[in-house]
C-alpha cells in the first residue's frame, strides 16, 4: 500500500525542493508537480558509497521498464540526479556523487 511508504518531502525536504526547481527549469512542469508526492519505496541497494538512489514505486530489480520509459537527466550544482519516468510517473531517482542527504529530524 502506497501510504505505508513515507513521502520523500517528509524525509528529504531539501532534495524534493531541488527536484522541483530543476524539473521546472527543464520545462518538465508535470513532473515537478508529481515530485511533491513521491514516496520513498526502497533504497537502491547497490552498496556503492557514492549512490543514494531510491525507488519511488515498486518495480522488479534488474527488469527493464519497457514501453513508455524515458530518462530525465537533471543539472544540479553538484553530483548527478537522473529520473526514470514511465508514462509520466517518476519511478526511480538516481542520486550519485553528492554529499550525504540529511533526513529531516522527527519532532520530539
Amino acid at each position: 500500500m502506497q501510504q505505508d511508504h513515507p513521502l520523500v518531502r517528509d524525509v528529504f525536504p531539501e532534495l524534493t525542493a531541488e527536484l522541483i526547481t530543476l524539473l521546472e527549469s527543464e520545462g518538465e512542469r508535470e513532473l515537478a508537480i508529481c515530485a511533491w508526492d513521491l514516496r520513498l519505496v526502497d533504497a537502491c541497494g547497490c552498496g556503492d558509497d557514492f549512490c543514494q538512489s531510491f525507488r519511488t514505486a515498486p518495480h522488479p530489480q534488474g527488469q527493464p521498464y519497457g514501453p513508455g520509459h524515458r530518462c530525465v537527466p537533471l543539472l544540479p550544482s553538484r553530483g548527478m540526479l537522473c529520473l526514470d519516468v514511465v508514462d509520466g510517473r517518476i519511478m526511480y531517482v538516481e542520486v550519485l556523487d553528492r554529499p550525504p542527504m540529511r533526513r529531516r529530524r522527527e519532532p520530539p
Side-chain angles (χ1 to χ4, degrees), residues 6-108:
L7 289 163
V8 175
R9 70 176 183 245
D10 290 341
V11 180
F12 300 118
E14 292 173 3
L15 177 65
T16 299
E18 183 178 15
L19 287 173
I20 290 168
T21 299
L22 291 169
L23 285 164
E24 287 176 343
S25 71
E26 290 292 323
E28 296 282 359
R29 179 78 176 128
E30 293 82 15
L31 290 180
I33 292 167
C34 293
W36 180 250
D37 291 321
L38 291 178
R39 297 228 174 234
L40 185 58
V41 172
D42 197 13
C44 170
C46 70
D48 290 334
D49 61 352
F50 58 85
C51 179
Q52 301 175 80
S53 304
F54 56 91
R55 289 176 184 74
T56 61
H59 182 77
Q61 192 167 357
Q63 297 297 314
Y65 285 108
H69 173 257
R70 68 185 178 113
C71 184
V72 180
L74 299 173
L75 300 171
S77 61
R78 57 188 194 254
M80 185 179 113
L81 292 173
C82 189
L83 308 178
D84 282 310
V85 177
V86 179
D87 295 326
R89 181 177 182 190
I90 300 169
M91 302 289 287
Y92 189 83
V93 179
E94 192 170 15
V95 182
L96 301 173
D97 295 321
R98 293 172 55 97
M101 293 189 292
R102 290 177 286 163
R103 289 182 174 265
R104 172 183 274 172
R105 295 192 195 282
E106 294 295 320

